[in-house]
Amino acid sequence: MTKVPVQFTLNGSEKAEFIDSGTTLLNALRDKIGDTSPKGGCHQGTCGACSVIIDGELRLSCLTLAETCNGATITTTSGLAEGGVLHPLQRAFLDTFATQCGFCTPGMIMAAKVLLDHTPNPSREDVVEALSGNICRCTGYEPIIQAVLSAARANSQNAA
Amino acid sequence: MALALQTFATVKDANAALKSAGTRYLGGGTLVVRAANEGDVSVSSPVRSTDPALSAIEVGGGKVRIGASVTMAEIARHPELGPLAKAARAVGGPAIRNMATVGGNLFAPAPYGDFAVALLALDAAVGTDNGEMPIETFLVGRDDSRAIVTSVSFTKPDNFRFLKVSRVKPKGVSVLSIAVVLEQAGDGTVSSARIALGCMADRPMRAKAAEKALLGRTLDPDGIAPALAAASEGTAPITDPIASAWYRAEVLPVHLGRLLLG
Ligand SMILES: Cc1cc2nc3c(=O)[nH]c(=O)nc-3n(C[C@H](O)[C@H](O)[C@H](O)COP(=O)(O)OP(=O)(O)OC[C@H]3O[C@@H](n4cnc5c(N)ncnc54)[C@H](O)[C@@H]3O)c2cc1C
Ligand code: FES
Ligand code: FES
């Protein structure tokens, strides 16, 4: 099998690996690089558990070939906490019980982060739309929507 | 799964590579990589081109040209493509829209291809290295087409309407989608109409009988009644877990009516 080099910035640090050509970014991150925060729920683009942020845009790592990410800047949920302090979204997910089994949570947090990066004060509709590609089988979504709205409020209070 | 990706700077070189067995063009990959993940071994070597012309959007002189690698998200946020934004936003969720390309949507089988329905109503020209062809001709022959689609071009419409019906809100696979481009005479009667339907066949199709029945009519319940009665003519709706062919045929006139009166 052809090995190809890939190099990208993952959560602020440079990564360079040789991978099998055709490896999805999801498998490269989890099996090669050891970042298991993106989850493989369906490998079909349907569940959103594998969502990551590539160059500022939400993408599905299960449908992205790793070698197309050469030179990219990639953010995953494992890169959000700083020095043991949780990101406001992570804090909000815990505080509002927005995570139960937790399998969907990293994908939800990625989708929510992209939203808040562009729209710091989203409406409820904005949040529903932003999370519309992410499936949760546990919470019934309402606590997740509340978590994103409360993280947005916490952010704007910090900024004020 | 073992895929060997080949990347080319020019469309010409990528087209040459696509002559080999086991190759398939890779757009955003939402269907190609998904098929590979599901165990489809018919593609062993995806081919892509990074030609910048494929990613350009040009708007000027009432004309629009969209490169085949442009994504649904890029169309949805383009300031001069306002009316089309609704059709682009109808495709998948936010992450899918960041990946799904115009080129790929032209090949997506029903229930997918919502944006291609819009392009069919716009009577777009589909461009390859061999020149342009009308989208209707393209759709008929797409299963045998190997040439890379480079662009779609169309005249900016004055009256473009789009509707996607799905069961899951705000994102869900189509029960059906409808796009309409209308021109009206000074007295309000319809002087030209193009109506495109999604999920009413295995690929987007024109509702030609309904278009004809709309000519010279006004957009009110009585005026559009003959068009609604003719809406299903020539359709062969798909049956899938979202809806049966029977259901799709039943609801088509209702939704077409809402779009025409709306
Ligand atoms: C979870 C999910 C939800 C979806 N929801 C929708 C939806 O609501 N509406 C909808 O319309 N679609 C939907 N899709 C289908 C798909 O994402 C879109 O149709 C998309 O536009 C396909 O584009 P792509 O670039 O990803 O195609 P790819 O997967 O890259 O390619 C698809 C096909 O087109 C060919 N192709 C691509 N580009 C070119 C080109 N330039 N020249 C020649 N051939 C080309 C490929 O060879 C392949 O055969 C969904 C998919 C998923 C996984
Ligand atoms: S694993 Fe990627 S969307 Fe489900
Ligand atoms: S918390 Fe279990 S799937 Fe969302």
Side-chain angles (χ1 to χ4, degrees):
Chain A
M1 202 178 287
T2 336
K3 294 269 185 197
V4 289
V6 289
Q7 173 277 322
F8 47 71
T9 306
L10 177 67
N11 298 323
S13 54
E14 292 289 319
K15 301 286 172 193
E17 286 284 346
F18 279 98
I19 56 160
D20 293 333
S21 180
T23 305
T24 61
L25 180 62
L26 176 64
N27 289 343
L29 288 173
R30 291 181 60 86
D31 302 340
K32 263 320 247 197
I33 292 170
D35 181 351
T36 54
S37 65
K39 306 296 178 209
C42 66
H43 301 269
Q44 288 185 29
T46 323
C47 74
C50 67
S51 301
V52 300
I53 301 172
I54 303 179
D55 294 332
E57 284 191 343
L58 192 69
R59 298 288 180 96
L60 300 171
S61 62
C62 73
L63 298 183
T64 303
L65 299 185
E67 60 212 276
T68 62
C69 301
N70 261 319
T73 298
I74 302 175
T75 304
T76 66
T77 299
S78 65
L80 294 190
E82 277 181 38
V85 179
L86 294 182
H87 185 276
L89 272 167
Q90 292 172 305
R91 186 79 261 155
F93 267 67
L94 288 176
D95 290 347
T96 58
F97 300 100
T99 179
Q100 287 185 25
C101 80
F103 201 78
C104 70
T105 310
M108 290 285 181
I109 288 185
M110 287 290 100
K113 181 169 190 307
V114 172
L115 170 71
L116 298 189
D117 287 348
H118 294 113
T119 314
N121 287 307
S123 66
R124 191 192 149 86
E125 288 68 41
D126 293 336
V127 176
V128 170
E129 169 64 36
L131 301 179
S132 62
N134 294 70
I135 291 176
C136 176
R137 292 289 81 152
C138 301
T139 64
Y141 299 101
E142 197 53 39
I144 299 178
I145 297 166
Q146 291 311 322
V148 180
L149 288 170
S150 83
R153 278 195 297 275
N155 267 340
S156 56
Q157 275 159 17
N158 289 344
Chain B
M1 176 192 65
L3 297 175
L5 175 68
Q6 303 181 65
T7 303
F8 298 93
T10 66
V11 170
K12 188 165 171 274
D13 291 345
N15 265 327
L18 283 167
K19 296 206 162 68
S20 309
T23 55
R24 171 108 36 104
Y25 190 73
L26 179 74
T30 58
L31 293 173
V32 171
V33 180
R34 182 168 80 164
N37 287 350
E38 280 177 345
D40 178 354
V41 290
S42 68
V43 180
S44 52
S45 188
V47 169
R48 66 174 184 148
S49 169
T50 49
D51 196 327
L54 294 175
S55 303
I57 300 179
E58 292 158 35
V59 186
K63 298 267 182 205
V64 179
R65 182 191 178 281
I66 305 177
S69 300
V70 170
T71 63
M72 295 300 134
E74 286 165 334
I75 294 170
R77 63 173 173 254
H78 194 282
E80 290 177 272
L81 297 179
L84 277 184
K86 196 171 176 197
R89 267 199 297 270
V91 174
I96 288 284
R97 289 197 288 277
N98 285 333
M99 304 171 71
T101 67
V102 172
N105 209 267
L106 285 171
F107 288 89
Y112 297 142
D114 295 312
F115 195 76
V117 171
L119 291 172
L120 181 59
L122 291 163
D123 201 19
V126 176
T128 67
D129 265 4
N130 302 324
E132 292 195 321
M133 72 176 104
I135 183 168
E136 250 190 296
T137 318
F138 166 82
L139 286 170
V140 171
R142 75 174 181 187
D143 299 346
D144 305 314
S145 144
R146 298 283 295 170
I148 296 171
V149 170
T150 51
S151 67
V152 292
S153 319
F154 50 87
T155 306
K156 220 174 162 181
D158 289 328
N159 193 343
F160 171 81
R161 303 175 188 200
F162 180 85
L163 174 79
K164 168 171 168 172
V165 182
S166 52
R167 294 182 189 270
V168 182
K169 304 278 182 329
K171 176 210 108 135
V173 174
S174 272
V175 171
L176 53 84
S177 49
I178 312 174
V180 178
V181 174
L182 288 176
E183 279 170 37
Q184 280 164 280
D187 62 357
T189 56
V190 174
S191 55
S192 111
R194 284 195 302 269
I195 303 174
L197 309 175
C199 295
M200 298 310 288
D202 68 343
R203 64 198 71 199
M205 62 170 286
R206 288 269 292 273
K208 296 238 163 118
E211 292 174 357
K212 217 167 138 198
L214 212 51
L215 291 180
R217 313 285 300 202
T218 46
L219 293 180
D220 51 51
D222 286 343
I224 66 168
L228 301 191
S232 300
E233 217 167 279
T235 62
I238 59 160
T239 288
D240 66 1
I242 304 292
S244 65
W246 174 84
Y247 179 82
R248 286 185 159 104
E250 285 295 303
V251 299
L252 170 66
V254 178
H255 292 294
L256 179 59
R258 287 181 191 162
L259 190 61
L260 291 174
L261 296 176

